[in-house]
Amino acid sequence: MATPQHILTIDDQVNPADQSQMDIKVETDKFGKTIKYMMFRGRHYLPAYDMSILEQIQNVSMRPEDIYFPAFPRTGTHWVYEMANMLLRGKAETIQQYKGKHQLEFATNDALSSLPSPRVINTHFRLSDAPREVKEKKCKIIYNLRDPKDVAVSLYHTYIDLKVSECECSFEGFLYLFLEGKVEDGGIFDHLLAAEELFKENPDIPVYIHIYEDTQQSPLLAVQRLSDFLGLSRDNDLCQAIADKCQISNMRRDKEKYSLKADGKSSLYRKGTVGDWKNYFTDQMLEDYYRVYEEKMAGSRFFSLYARNT
């Protein structure tokens, strides 16, 4: 496997994570092609994080007014982060920093503590791995849902484009790793189930479920609902302006400077569409996907949203 040295930058500053300090694991797909991950507590992650920062996550200090945003990658994280911060600031203006500056995988507790309230603290980690004070202080939680088939396609392209995983896989080979949980944080199905368990055990914590497909269909309504959840006075003109500003074409342009880049190229704002999976899945891949989905998600409150034939 080739090992070129790729450079990741955040807001045009070099990401200091050192792969020599990571627990690196190379997975091989069923066609013999490989993809590289870092391992942390038995789960797979993009090899881009400082292990010492990951170790501190559950001890991060939270505030009652914080909004906690634990989203599986490629479920609309950048989209919702931008909308929430614009609403809190009362302006339909681009947030002039990468969301990683408020992301638990990149930011130290000291750095996060210096940020003014209200903070939108985001992460790709499961809710079962959240800072302990999220539950203690009953922080508001925003949780994203998106068709896992579209997530698989988008995540595949992220691994390709960010380069540090040195992904050689075709999409078909990657899909079966995805279904085995050999992707970010052990896979989307366990991420969903961990969220569902926390919601069930903590009914007093306010939760907003953001559904990607609904926002695509009615972006204004999605912004209005998010505004209401955040406890803000409804300003429909502002909500419309934010919905417009957060269109994928605008974000691709406006966030170019404030992005995670590989070798100087940003790839986070790809298509932003619904149903792209249809361009990638064969009938057999789809059947194999639903076999795993129905096994993993049976009995879940989220099951019917993305069930077969919906």
Side-chain angles (χ1 to χ4, degrees):
M1 185 179 197
T3 56
Q5 296 299 309
H6 297 293
I7 298 175
L8 284 184
T9 56
I10 298 174
D11 290 359
D12 292 330
Q13 297 180 346
V14 175
N15 176 34
D18 181 359
Q19 288 198 11
S20 69
Q21 303 301 311
M22 300 175 190
D23 178 11
I24 295 294
K25 183 174 184 179
V26 176
E27 294 287 0
T28 303
D29 71 15
K30 68 177 188 174
F31 302 112
K33 300 298 184 179
T34 58
I35 180 171
K36 182 170 69 175
Y37 296 100
M38 63 176 286
M39 301 299 292
F40 180 71
R41 296 178 180 171
R43 298 183 199 146
H44 299 68
Y45 296 92
L46 184 78
Y49 303 127
D50 184 322
M51 298 285 280
S52 65
I53 292 180
L54 300 187
E55 291 282 359
Q56 68 157 16
I57 285 178
Q58 290 188 308
N59 296 318
V60 165
S61 301
M62 301 295 291
R63 305 168 191 163
E65 63 273 22
D66 285 337
I67 295 92
Y68 191 64
F69 181 32
F72 192 79
R74 315 313 295 166
T75 58
T77 55
H78 297 268
W79 199 13
V80 178
Y81 175 84
E82 203 78 0
M83 287 190 284
N85 276 284
M86 287 184 186
L87 283 166
L88 291 168
R89 298 180 187 194
K91 298 178 181 179
E93 296 177 357
T94 300
I95 307 305
Q96 297 187 4
Q97 63 184 11
Y98 174 58
K99 75 175 184 63
K101 295 295 182 71
H102 293 188
Q103 184 171 339
L104 294 182
E105 292 91 324
F106 289 116
T108 65
N109 191 24
D110 287 344
L112 292 169
S113 295
S114 70
L115 300 173
S117 292
R119 304 177 300 179
V120 180
I121 304 295
N122 74 101
T123 181
H124 293 314
F125 270 41
R126 299 179 193 179
L127 264 167
S128 53
D129 296 323
R132 294 178 182 88
E133 291 188 354
V134 168
K135 290 192 289 186
E136 293 171 10
K137 299 190 176 178
K138 296 179 173 50
C139 300
K140 290 180 177 176
I141 294 173
I142 300 172
Y143 192 74
N144 278 5
L145 299 180
R146 186 185 185 186
D147 188 334
K149 300 189 297 297
D150 276 335
V151 172
V153 171
S154 188
L155 186 60
Y156 170 69
H157 283 285
T158 297
Y159 284 136
I160 293 288
D161 294 340
L162 287 182
K163 299 182 181 180
V164 292
S165 278
E166 300 170 22
C167 180
E168 300 175 347
C169 307
S170 65
F171 175 72
E172 182 176 359
F174 175 79
L175 175 66
Y176 290 94
L177 295 176
F178 181 90
L179 295 176
E180 294 169 11
K182 295 178 180 178
V183 294
E184 213 70 11
D185 202 26
I188 191 170
F189 303 133
D190 286 345
H191 201 283
L192 289 163
L193 295 173
E196 184 173 14
E197 183 176 358
L198 184 137
F199 300 155
K200 183 178 179 179
E201 293 178 351
N202 300 272
D204 53 342
I205 292 180
V207 176
Y208 175 73
I209 302 294
H210 173 266
I211 301 176
Y212 189 98
E213 293 79 13
D214 288 353
T215 303
Q216 281 282 2
Q217 186 172 15
S218 183
L220 172 59
L221 182 58
V223 176
Q224 290 170 330
R225 287 174 173 169
L226 183 57
S227 176
D228 294 345
F229 172 74
L230 295 174
L232 304 173
S233 178
R234 174 77 72 88
D235 182 334
N236 288 327
D237 289 339
L238 175 63
C239 289
Q240 182 65 68
I242 290 173
D244 294 341
K245 188 68 169 174
C246 291
Q247 291 180 12
I248 185 69
S249 57
N250 291 332
M251 289 189 63
R252 187 181 294 118
R253 179 195 65 227
D254 297 341
K255 298 292 287 189
E256 168 64 24
K257 182 178 178 181
Y258 314 105
S259 186
L260 178 67
K261 299 178 182 179
D263 298 341
K265 181 182 177 182
S266 174
S267 57
L268 295 177
Y269 305 98
R270 186 174 158 266
K271 287 188 175 181
T273 57
V274 172
D276 192 33
W277 64 266
K278 297 173 184 176
N279 298 315
Y280 291 82
F281 280 67
T282 65
D283 289 345
Q284 185 60 56
M285 291 161 66
L286 193 60
E287 184 61 34
D288 291 341
Y289 166 84
Y290 277 120
R291 176 179 50 78
V292 174
Y293 180 84
E294 290 162 0
E295 177 183 314
K296 294 284 291 187
M297 298 301 294
S300 168
R301 63 180 281 191
F302 302 130
F303 177 85
S304 62
L305 188 61
Y306 299 115
R308 193 189 299 256
N309 299 322
T310 57

